[in-house]
Amino acid sequence: MTKLAQRVTAAVFCLFLAGFGLAHVLLPDRDFSPVENRSLEGLPAFSWSALADGGYTAGLERYLADQFPLRDGWMGLKNRMEYLLGRREFHGVYLCGDTLINRVEEAGRADQNLDCLRRLAEMTDLPVYTALIPTAAEIWRSKLPRGAESFDQRAYLERARALPGLHWVDVGGALADHAGDPLFYRTDHHWTSLGAYWGYTAVMEAMGEVPAPLGTAETVSESFRGTLYSTSGVHWLEPDTIERYVSGQGVTVEAGGETRGLYVDSFLDEKDQYASFLGGNGPLYIVRNPAAASDETLLVVRDSYSDSLAPFLSQQFAEIHLLDLRYYRTGVAQYAQDVGADRILVCYSVENFIKDLDAVFLAQ
């Protein structure tokens, strides 16, 4: 390389760096990244004490990384290049063709939470139904890259099934029977409305009830990009669609002292479109349907998978209490007695259940 070529290369490189430095100064800082679905670091306040203990420089490093010009585009390009080089796992998420599947890791609460379930059955005379939902990593295990690691959910479900005093809901069997259907979103960890329907049929069969027919799907969004899209950095997949099979007409939801409909459509214009079911994570939702098939009250101890399950359950039960122990910490048996519940349904994804620290309230 001639000296002229070296000088041109150095000049271009310096202009490139200067351009990014200028862009960093001129472009406004962002508070939130909708692509990553998280808040971004702001410029840290300077103090001599923070400089001395390293807090300021660490904060400045995070700030520069988060506010880097065109950050989302560069991250997407980086991951695309790594994909072309053969990489199939991105931040704990497997890229399986056009589908993202979260890797499920073994968690320390797995055994204790099964024991909490067993103790709940001993503490109440009400029937307790256990509906643990295997995730896409189990139902679609054949889609995972060769050698991909993931927690053995099937073996865990067999252990849960053997617990005494509980009524088993074979959600895994129902999902496996329809594994060829779009049971889970391609860019999110939740099951789709169709997956929730097959879970609902398993619940009804375990309770000795006849499930309502599926009905006709109504597509309410064709632009859903979920949590796996955000965390993986794989940003070249087509968005998901969100469908509903239950109209929600005549059904009300009480939450935080307010009463609203079964769906919250305003979330369809936001990043977390899945929150349009019920309204997203919350401590307690009470769903009422005067036209339900029975006048029973059902207590559901749940995680967010139950958000899209609730519309189907509302066709059967006149009143449903959806209790999230992460936010509403109370003894489940006592709560069921206080509200006059006829049955208790414990409904979690396996991934959430094996690490849920708040499951201790099942046994209090």
Side-chain angles (χ1 to χ4, degrees):
M1 181 180 292
T2 65
K3 288 186 176 180
L4 177 61
Q6 291 175 343
R7 290 171 180 172
V8 170
T9 301
V12 170
F13 182 69
C14 290
L15 286 173
F16 182 79
L17 292 180
F20 268 96
L22 183 63
H24 203 298
V25 172
L26 296 179
L27 292 176
D29 290 344
R30 298 187 303 160
D31 296 325
F32 183 80
S33 169
V35 172
E36 298 178 71
N37 194 30
R38 70 177 182 88
S39 298
L40 299 178
E41 194 79 19
L43 183 65
F46 176 81
S47 69
W48 291 110
S49 60
L51 180 64
D53 64 20
Y56 177 76
T57 53
L60 186 62
E61 182 178 352
R62 293 192 299 269
Y63 165 75
L64 292 173
D66 276 4
Q67 302 297 340
F68 192 82
L70 306 178
R71 170 186 169 85
D72 294 340
W74 287 110
M75 288 180 58
L77 178 62
K78 171 182 176 291
N79 287 333
R80 173 72 87 156
M81 294 300 297
E82 291 179 348
Y83 169 77
L84 294 175
L85 293 173
R87 182 178 178 181
R88 293 298 181 269
E89 182 182 354
F90 301 86
H91 305 289
V93 178
Y94 296 117
L95 176 57
C96 310
D98 65 347
T99 302
L100 297 169
I101 298 179
N102 199 41
R103 183 183 68 204
V104 179
E105 298 181 348
E106 188 167 0
R109 292 292 308 178
D111 293 336
Q112 294 94 321
N113 290 351
L114 285 183
D115 188 59
C116 290
L117 265 178
R118 179 190 60 79
R119 290 164 61 191
L120 171 61
E122 296 176 347
M123 295 175 64
T124 179
D125 294 330
L126 297 177
V128 179
Y129 298 85
T130 305
L132 297 183
I133 306 163
T135 68
E138 184 62 42
I139 299 301
W140 288 343
R141 182 173 284 271
S142 62
K143 293 186 177 184
L144 296 179
R146 180 176 298 180
E149 297 180 357
S150 193
F151 178 68
D152 190 348
Q153 298 180 58
R154 182 174 299 181
Y156 188 74
L157 290 171
E158 287 302 316
R159 291 171 55 199
R161 186 172 194 159
L163 292 173
L166 296 161
H167 299 271
W168 179 249
V169 180
D170 190 12
V171 178
L175 294 179
D177 289 343
H178 299 88
D181 295 340
L183 303 177
F184 300 91
Y185 293 108
R186 294 179 299 99
T187 67
D188 191 71
H189 64 286
H190 291 107
W191 56 6
T192 62
S193 292
L194 183 59
Y197 174 76
W198 293 122
Y200 154 77
T201 63
V203 172
M204 290 295 95
E205 290 170 5
M207 293 182 174
E209 305 291 346
V210 178
L214 178 60
T216 303
E218 176 193 4
T219 299
V220 295
S221 174
E222 295 180 338
S223 60
F224 176 42
R225 290 184 169 96
T227 56
L228 301 185
Y229 176 90
S230 299
T231 58
S232 67
V234 176
H235 297 156
W236 57 86
L237 299 185
E238 292 296 316
D240 280 297
T241 61
I242 294 180
E243 298 176 334
R244 298 172 183 165
Y245 293 89
V246 178
S247 70
Q249 184 175 0
V251 181
T252 61
V253 177
E254 180 183 330
E258 299 181 352
T259 300
R260 57 177 184 244
L262 187 57
Y263 305 109
V264 184
D265 287 341
S266 60
F267 280 105
L268 297 176
D269 298 322
E270 299 184 15
K271 174 65 172 68
D272 186 11
Q273 295 186 24
Y274 183 79
S276 62
F277 295 102
L278 290 185
N281 292 328
L284 176 65
Y285 293 127
I286 303 176
V287 180
R288 295 185 175 93
N289 183 9
S294 77
D295 61 357
E296 289 190 353
T297 295
L298 174 69
L299 170 59
V300 181
V301 186
R302 60 100 183 197
D303 65 5
S304 56
Y305 274 66
S306 291
D307 292 2
S308 53
L309 177 66
F312 298 110
L313 294 175
S314 71
Q315 299 175 99
Q316 176 65 32
F317 298 96
E319 187 168 299
I320 306 170
H321 291 244
L322 293 123
L323 191 66
D324 193 327
L325 296 177
R326 292 172 296 178
Y327 313 108
Y328 197 107
R329 299 178 175 180
T330 185
V332 171
Q334 185 61 52
Y335 182 89
Q337 180 179 330
D338 292 343
V339 301
D342 297 286
R343 315 182 200 222
I344 300 173
L345 173 66
V346 180
C347 186
Y348 285 76
S349 71
V350 172
E351 180 179 15
N352 287 336
F353 187 73
I354 62 176
K355 61 186 180 184
D356 187 9
L357 298 175
D358 298 307
V360 294
F361 293 101
L362 289 169
Q364 292 184 8

